[in-house]
């Protein structure tokens, strides 16, 4: 009995050993498969990352050489050969709208009709452009557009941060105003967002607004028409619903205390064109004296006489398309141009001081020289 029990125990043990011996065999196979799959996955991910970088080096209107792409990938940490880059490009050309030329060395680029969504990355020049848009134009963009652009702004910042070349470019580029710099007034952000939203979707607004010559706010229902930034001031062009003549008026955004978006559709005057409106000098603000001239001083022929030194800049930057310049024998120059006679023109001419010797019409010169005429009005 004892022997039989011993044999039974031994048999059980033997079977258990057989089972244990079989398990490592199966586990080893699975482990090998897993290792192979993991290796293939990592290899595929590395290939995808590399080819992504290859595509990111291509531009739309410029041929980029394979050697340049190879050098950029080496700087990014990819341990590859030039031949690998060439194989990648040929493979990618079967899937993406890219093309090569027949030059030696060979160049690649995105096709002219390549849709934007085909671009998997942002190149350095695009990153610089988005960075400058974010720095200088975000005040003019409606929230709906800004929300869509923020990921691009973020991508541009990260692209420039990782670039040794263009990081110095950002540190070397600035936009400076040609006038005395001023600090922008505070704008109620909710009012601004609602104005932009209403303008974007062409809806009317109910606004609480304080005019420059009043101490208390008034309530208006407005038809938003356009947004214009003039210096550090942002203006809304709009008509008032209580105005039967629908006169286009300017409203400074910093004077809005509150804005409510209405469901009613905003009305824009017929034949309104923003460029025509600006070309007519409407944002230059009519001068009270110069408005006495025919057509309120719009499209008026003027003659300006400067010292050569003072007027030299106008030989490079014109006042108008029809401007002519005549250099005189007495170290002066005379400029003829057609402009709108506005307060802005008066302020600008006063900046020349004694460098402005004469101006016609005579009333223009009189207003420029005698500031008391402004105060009397």
């Amino acid at each position: 009995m004892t022997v039989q029990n011993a044999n039974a125990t031994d048999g059980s043990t033997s079977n258990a050993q057989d089972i244990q011996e079989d398990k490592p065999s199966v586990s080893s196979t699975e482990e090998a498969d897993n290792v192979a799959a993991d290796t293939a996955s990592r290899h595929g991910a590395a290939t995808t990352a590399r080819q992504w970088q290859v595509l990111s080096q291509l531009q739309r209107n410029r041929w980029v050489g394979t050697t340049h792409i190879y050098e950029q990938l080496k700087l990014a940490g990819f341990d590859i050969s030039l031949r690998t880059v060439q194989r990648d490009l040929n493979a990618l050309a079967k899937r993406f709208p890219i093309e090569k030329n027949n030059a030696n060395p060979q160049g690649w680029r995105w096709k002219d009709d390549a849709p934007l969504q085909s671009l998997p990355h942002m190149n350095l020049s695009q990153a610089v452009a988005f960075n400058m848009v974010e720095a200088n134009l975000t005040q003019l963009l409606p929230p709906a557009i800004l929300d869509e652009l923020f990921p691009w702004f973020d991508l541009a910042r990260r692209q420039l941060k990782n670039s040794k070349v263009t990081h110095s470019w950002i540190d070397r580029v600035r936009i400076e105003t040609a006038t005395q710099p001023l600090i922008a007034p505070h704008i109620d952000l909710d009012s601004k967002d609602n104005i932009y939203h209403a303008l974007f979707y062409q809806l009317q607004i109910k606004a609480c607004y304080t005019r420059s010559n009043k101490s208390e706010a008034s309530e208006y229902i407005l038809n938003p028409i356009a947004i214009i930034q003039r210096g550090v001031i942002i203006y809304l062009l709009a008509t008032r619903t209580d105005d039967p003549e629908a006169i286009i008026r300017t409203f400074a955004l910093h004077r809005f205390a509150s804005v409510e978006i209405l469901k009613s559709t905003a009305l824009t005057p017929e034949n309104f064109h923003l460029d025509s409106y600006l070309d007519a000098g409407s944002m230059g603000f009519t001068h009270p004296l110069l408005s006495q001239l025919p057509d309120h001083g719009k499209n008026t022929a003027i003659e300006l006489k400067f010292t050569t030194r003072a007027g030299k800049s106008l030989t490079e930057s014109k006042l108008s398309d029809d401007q002519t310049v005549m250099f005189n024998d007495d170290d002066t120059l005379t400029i003829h141009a057609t402009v709108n006679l506005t307060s802005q023109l008066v302020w600008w001419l006063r900046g020349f001081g004694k460098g402005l010797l004469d101006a016609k019409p005579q009333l223009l010169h009189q207003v420029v020289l005698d500031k008391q005429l402004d105060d009397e009005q």
Side-chain angles (χ1 to χ4, degrees), residues 63-64 66 86 89-90 93 97-103 106-111:
W63 297 105
V64 180
T66 52
Q86 294 169 340
L89 286 164
N90 286 313
I98 64 176
E99 60 183 354
K100 60 183 176 182
N101 58 17
N102 296 320
Q106 193 175 71
W108 290 80
R109 69 180 182 184
W110 288 97
K111 293 181 179 179

Side-chain angles (χ1 to χ4, degrees), residues 3-16:
V3 174
Q4 289 177 349
N5 288 340
N7 290 338
T9 302
D10 290 342
S12 174
T13 303
S14 177
N15 291 338

Side-chain angles (χ1 to χ4, degrees), residues 261-364:
I261 303 173
L262 304 180
K263 295 182 179 180
S264 48
T265 302
L267 303 176
T268 300
E270 293 184 7
N271 301 321
F272 172 81
H273 297 285
L274 182 57
D275 289 336
S276 299
Y277 178 86
L278 295 174
D279 291 342
S282 299
M283 288 302 294
F285 301 109
T286 303
H287 192 282
L289 287 178
L290 299 178
S291 62
Q292 302 172 12
L293 296 173
D295 199 18
H296 299 281
K298 294 181 180 179
N299 296 320
T300 301
I302 64 172
E303 178 183 307
L304 304 174
K305 186 175 183 180
F306 296 94
T307 62
T308 300
R309 182 176 180 179
K312 181 67 182 300
S313 63
L314 291 175
T315 64
E316 301 168 343
S317 301
K318 294 183 178 181
L319 274 171
S320 66
D321 290 334
D322 65 350
Q323 173 180 300
T324 61
V325 180
M326 181 174 63
F327 290 90
N328 306 314
D329 296 333
D330 57 351
D331 197 28
T332 65
L333 57 84
T334 303
I335 291 178
H336 292 86
T338 301
V339 299
N340 297 308
L341 303 187
T342 63
S343 294
Q344 183 176 359
L345 176 66
V346 172
W347 299 331
W348 178 72
L349 288 174
R350 283 175 178 167
F352 285 93
K354 296 181 180 179
L356 176 65
L357 303 176
D358 193 13
K360 295 178 182 179
Q362 189 59 39
L363 180 59
L364 172 61

Side-chain angles (χ1 to χ4, degrees), residues 36-51:
D38 182 62
T39 302
S41 177
R42 284 188 283 108
H43 178 73
T47 301
T48 300
R50 184 184 71 244
Q51 293 182 344

Side-chain angles (χ1 to χ4, degrees), residues 5-227:
N5 288 340
N7 290 338
T9 302
D10 290 342
S12 174
T13 303
S14 177
N15 291 338
Q17 289 175 345
D18 290 342
I19 294 172
Q20 293 298 322
E21 289 175 358
D22 288 339
K23 282 185 176 179
S25 177
V26 173
S27 177
S28 298
T29 302
E30 291 178 350
E31 183 178 353
D33 290 342
N34 290 337
V35 170
D38 182 62
T39 302
S41 177
R42 284 188 283 108
H43 178 73
T47 301
T48 300
R50 184 184 71 244
Q51 293 182 344
W52 185 284
Q53 287 293 327
V54 170
L55 288 174
S56 73
Q57 300 300 323
L58 302 183
Q59 300 184 26
R60 185 180 293 269
N61 299 315
R62 179 183 175 188
W63 297 105
V64 180
T66 52
T67 301
H68 174 78
I69 297 174
Y70 165 71
E71 292 172 349
Q72 293 302 309
L73 263 65
K74 293 288 286 185
L75 290 175
F78 290 92
D79 186 14
I80 56 172
S81 66
L82 177 60
R83 181 58 183 160
T84 301
V85 174
Q86 294 169 340
R87 284 198 300 265
D88 282 344
L89 286 164
N90 286 313
L92 291 168
K94 298 177 181 179
R95 295 285 185 177
F96 292 89
I98 64 176
E99 60 183 354
K100 60 183 176 182
N101 58 17
N102 296 320
N104 188 14
Q106 193 175 71
W108 290 80
R109 69 180 182 184
W110 288 97
K111 293 181 179 179
D112 292 335
D113 59 351
L116 180 61
Q117 58 266 29
S118 292
L119 307 179
H121 201 64
M122 180 182 293
N123 63 38
L124 297 180
S125 59
Q126 291 169 344
V128 170
F130 271 102
N131 186 267
M132 296 187 72
V133 167
E134 182 182 21
N136 299 287
L137 295 181
T138 51
Q139 287 291 329
L140 292 176
L141 296 174
I145 293 180
L146 281 176
D147 288 343
E148 295 184 6
L149 288 179
F150 277 138
W152 295 89
F153 292 152
D154 181 64
L155 177 60
R157 285 192 295 269
R158 287 187 284 111
Q159 180 77 348
L160 295 175
K161 181 180 179 180
N162 296 331
S163 170
K164 298 180 181 179
V165 178
T166 51
H167 189 66
S168 62
W169 168 269
I170 294 300
D171 292 336
R172 297 169 186 265
V173 178
R174 294 293 183 271
I175 295 178
E176 276 291 309
T177 61
T179 59
Q180 174 64 32
L182 300 173
I183 298 175
H186 170 75
I187 297 177
D188 180 70
L189 293 182
D190 289 338
S191 297
K192 176 191 168 194
D193 287 350
N194 286 344
I195 289 172
Y196 280 26
H197 181 95
L199 178 64
F200 191 74
Y201 292 102
Q202 300 182 33
L203 298 173
Q204 290 182 335
I205 58 174
K206 180 189 290 185
C208 187
Y209 183 83
T210 304
R211 298 168 61 181
S212 60
N213 58 347
K214 301 290 183 180
S215 58
E216 296 183 358
S218 301
E219 187 175 278
Y220 304 104
I221 295 180
L222 303 176
N223 294 297
I225 297 174
I227 289 288

